[in-house]
Amino acid sequence: MRHIVLSGRRVAVHVEEPSSPAGSDVVLVHGAGFDHTIWRYQTRFLAGRGHRVLAPDLPGHGGSDGPPLESIEEMADWLGGVMESFGCGPAILIGHSMGSYVALHRATSDPESVSALVLVGTTDRMRVHPELLAASAERDQHAIDLMVGWMHTGTHRYGGHRSAGSWSAGSSRRTIERNLAPLAADLAACERYDPTGRAAAVDDRTLIVSGSDDRMTTASGAVRLDALIGDSEHVVLEGAGHIAVFERSEEVNAAIVAFLSRVRMP
């Protein structure tokens, strides 16, 4: 873990350096109530394919100082500061859920800093259930129960992960418990943000990855977002839920690598 200072506050960034640098910088942006650990199956995988990988903790999350940021726009500006601090060239931005909006906004705010976009678990509007908004504002454990119940599907709610000892729903619960304080700000930012105008302005080649059984950011919403982006592809993982980057990491990674092999600049 590395630490930098932005606007007087400490920022924690997980960095994976490639053994033989041949690719682009890749910046991974986590979702609401999470931190860089959601990307545990992507960081080393992508570094092993020649990319320098940065996975920052958003303000107030993980090892980064608070307070949390109140809007997607602020998060995108902050992300630009992180990228500048690490001297990122045109980078590939990969965002999950709320992070997909942050990546989208960053790409349209500073197109020259971005070479491609990957949006996982995204949709044309993130409508947050009022019960979840209320529980998160009270920092009530009920917010965690709701999120875990909606995010995970099938056997992954009880076990079912291919990695020995990995329990998807339990891992999500522990992570959100660590990041319960900024959850209300995250969810409110998602509720307020409308990505449709920004999507129509995207110049970068874009991959959208959805789970067919995602109950938080539905595949149908991702189809509508995909239709607004000029140069985009949409991969739907059958039976996957909202945390496909963890539950179905091999398929997500394969989709990302296949996409990057087609868009990567020499």
Side-chain angles (χ1 to χ4, degrees), residues 24-237:
S24 305
D25 289 328
V26 176
V27 181
L28 305 169
V29 192
H30 65 78
F34 280 80
D35 54 37
H36 76 276
T37 59
I38 190 65
W39 300 112
R40 70 194 72 180
Y41 291 110
Q42 284 74 46
T43 49
R44 186 169 297 181
F45 176 85
L46 291 168
R49 280 145 186 82
H51 301 284
R52 182 176 66 152
V53 183
L54 311 178
D57 290 337
L58 286 161
H61 301 69
S64 291
D65 290 343
L69 300 174
E70 300 289 335
S71 71
I72 299 298
E73 293 87 348
E74 288 179 289
M75 296 177 203
D77 288 344
W78 174 89
L79 183 63
V82 173
M83 294 168 66
E84 184 177 351
S85 294
F86 280 89
C88 291
I92 299 156
L93 298 190
I94 304 179
H96 173 250
S97 194
M98 178 182 76
S100 72
Y101 282 0
V102 178
L104 177 68
H105 198 88
R106 185 70 219 156
T108 52
S109 299
D110 186 8
E112 293 185 0
S113 70
V114 179
S115 60
L117 278 174
V118 180
L119 311 176
V120 187
T122 195
T123 184
D124 61 333
R125 285 302 297 268
M126 291 188 189
R127 299 297 188 186
V128 183
H129 196 285
E131 187 176 349
L132 176 54
L133 284 172
S136 66
E138 295 296 324
R139 299 188 185 181
D140 191 319
Q141 290 287 314
H142 183 50
I144 302 174
D145 296 336
L146 291 173
M147 287 188 68
V148 171
W150 290 332
M151 286 189 298
H152 296 280
T153 61
T155 59
H156 290 291
R157 298 182 68 176
Y158 311 103
H161 199 277
R162 294 186 64 178
S163 297
S166 293
W167 175 30
S168 300
S171 176
S172 292
R173 180 174 292 278
R174 298 288 87 79
T175 305
I176 301 170
E177 285 174 349
R178 294 196 305 269
N179 296 291
L180 184 57
L183 181 60
D186 291 349
L187 295 175
C190 290
E191 172 74 20
R192 288 192 300 268
Y193 189 72
D194 182 353
T196 55
R198 289 282 175 167
V202 170
D203 292 329
D204 304 295
R205 288 161 288 188
T206 303
L207 171 67
I208 295 174
V209 181
S210 301
S212 67
D213 293 354
D214 189 339
R215 289 177 290 178
M216 298 193 82
T217 53
T218 63
S220 59
V223 167
R224 292 190 293 270
L225 189 69
D226 177 44
L228 296 172
I229 300 173
D231 187 2
S232 61
E233 306 172 27
H234 187 194
V235 173
V236 180
L237 303 180

